[in-house]
Amino acid sequence: MILCKTPEEVSLQVRKWKLEGKKVGFVPTMGFLHEGHATLFDKSLSKADKTIVSIFVNPAQFNDPEDYAKYPINTAGDLKLCESKKVDLVFLPDQETMYPGGIPDVLLAIPHLMKNLCAVSRPGHFEGVLLVISRLFHFVEPDFAFFGKKDYQQYLLIREFCKTLAFPTEVIGCETIRSDKGLALSSRNARLSESEKEESLLVSRALRLGESQIRSGITDPVLIRDIMKDVLDSSSKIKLDYLEILNADTLESLEFLKGNLLLAVAVFIGPVRLIDNITLSVSE
Ligand code: AMP
């Protein structure tokens, strides 16, 4: 496995691979890797000839300094996992390499996909995501890039961003990986106590209940939202950030639940913010 710390090293290696006709897959991460990340690596390893993983906790996408300061880090463990998965190259830049002279004064946005959900509860978050993705994509020039649908709005936004700005990269969404009990895997889960982990199961329970109620024929979004909210409200440890049922393609709100639907939840459990969602299709 090749380890690169600068964009120049990555570009050089990628050019060599491209001259050999190899297709490059890319998985950007913030590290503290788990099985959810590993599944993205597997997707890339099976679709592309070479797989690059970046590990960089991007300060530009944190609206909460405490969240950034407490973001878990385990570089040795991450490199071990990448090695065992047979990732070809890990890009491990530091902050000065990614943002020489500091975070640049530029504002990237796709307003119609940034009107709700995490765009509202984390102001500046997606602007920071689009900034780091733009820079990383210029360094790596991937043929394919893999993103988890656990961060559904991020996936949709990056897909649209690459299409609109003609990045020569196919953005591929991958299903959410969960624990046996249903908790969506996340690096932030490491900050939950055992009892908080137990409470956090209510998030996926609420989503599954919402899904089954919609599948049973209920088309009123207000009613479904209330049913789901009751599940989350049953825990005093859970503070709701948002709970929305939207058109999964446009992120617009709906009068009736038909078509491609996104059920999206964000909660705080103690100081830890967790997000989860499911998508489903209901015939028109
Ligand atoms: P992060 O390190 O949290 O920035 O995540 C890096 C990538 O892994 C993003 O595309 C995430 O959506 C994806 N990811 C994180 N957790 C999961 C999960 N449980 N299942 C699938 N993908 C995930």
Side-chain angles (χ1 to χ4, degrees):
M1 189 173 77
I2 302 167
L3 182 61
C4 295
K5 299 217 163 161
T6 67
E8 293 75 20
E9 291 171 86
V10 178
S11 293
L12 200 64
Q13 186 56 58
V14 168
R15 297 234 162 101
K16 276 188 201 155
W17 283 335
K18 294 223 164 160
L19 280 173
E20 294 166 8
K22 306 269 195 273
K23 295 280 183 200
V24 173
F26 181 40
V27 185
T29 82
M30 296 205 300
F32 209 79
L33 303 176
H34 50 67
E35 216 26 60
H37 297 108
T39 308
L40 303 191
F41 304 167
D42 287 339
K43 294 268 180 220
S44 176
L45 288 159
S46 65
K47 188 160 174 82
D49 302 304
K50 297 289 176 186
T51 290
I52 298 181
V53 170
S54 65
I55 300 173
F56 177 63
V57 184
N58 174 33
Q61 72 185 67
F62 283 82
N63 58 313
D64 173 2
E66 189 187 333
D67 190 25
Y68 177 58
K70 297 218 166 129
Y71 201 83
I73 291 175
N74 177 15
T75 309
D78 289 350
L79 292 176
K80 227 183 204 171
L81 179 76
C82 291
E83 182 105 54
S84 75
K85 281 281 162 189
K86 306 228 176 315
V87 165
D88 296 282
L89 187 154
V90 174
F91 179 38
L92 194 65
D94 61 19
Q95 202 172 315
E96 183 52 30
T97 313
M98 276 310 289
Y99 299 124
I103 296 170
D105 186 21
V106 60
L107 205 55
L108 302 173
I110 301 194
H112 73 274
L113 292 176
M114 290 166 58
K115 285 189 301 203
N116 48 17
L117 306 176
C118 292
V120 171
S121 43
R122 300 184 69 189
H125 168 64
F126 287 125
E127 290 82 346
V129 169
L130 294 176
L131 174 64
V132 81
I133 289 299
S134 306
R135 290 184 61 77
L136 288 169
F137 277 20
H138 286 309
F139 303 153
V140 175
E141 296 183 76
D143 297 288
F144 314 107
F146 300 83
F147 292 89
K149 290 190 190 170
K150 178 185 164 280
D151 301 285
Y152 187 85
Q153 190 176 19
Q154 167 175 279
Y155 154 66
L156 215 59
L157 196 57
I158 292 172
R159 199 180 65 178
E160 185 72 12
F161 184 73
C162 288
K163 196 169 131 208
T164 310
L165 297 185
F167 277 81
T169 301
E170 185 186 340
V171 173
I172 297 170
C174 305
E175 294 311 316
T176 300
I177 305 300
R178 301 174 178 281
S179 71
D180 291 345
K181 290 182 174 171
L183 175 62
L185 300 189
S186 164
S187 307
R188 287 187 172 87
N189 294 350
R191 292 180 59 203
L192 297 172
S193 68
E194 281 311 309
S195 68
E196 286 170 340
K197 267 190 194 145
E198 210 47 49
E199 300 290 309
S200 70
L201 297 177
L202 291 174
V203 173
S204 54
R205 213 166 289 160
L207 287 167
R208 282 201 308 269
L209 181 62
E211 177 184 14
S212 68
Q213 294 297 306
I214 293 169
R215 289 199 191 282
S216 78
I218 300 177
T219 58
D220 178 359
V222 179
L223 182 54
I224 297 291
R225 194 181 177 283
D226 285 348
I227 291 170
M228 293 172 68
K229 190 167 177 299
D230 280 347
V231 176
L232 298 168
D233 285 347
S234 69
S235 166
S236 59
K237 286 195 177 152
I238 292 183
K239 189 173 150 281
L240 188 61
D241 181 359
Y242 63 67
L243 167 53
E244 298 208 41
I245 306 170
L246 304 169
N247 178 308
D249 303 313
T250 62
L251 302 186
E252 298 286 345
S253 51
L254 293 158
E255 223 171 305
F256 299 103
L257 300 179
K258 295 281 180 207
N260 294 333
L261 307 178
L262 169 73
L263 280 61
V265 177
V267 297
F268 285 96
I269 301 184
V272 184
R273 184 172 177 279
L274 298 179
I275 60 171
D276 197 357
N277 71 80
I278 48 175
T279 52
L280 70 151
S281 280
V282 180
S283 53
E284 309 262 356

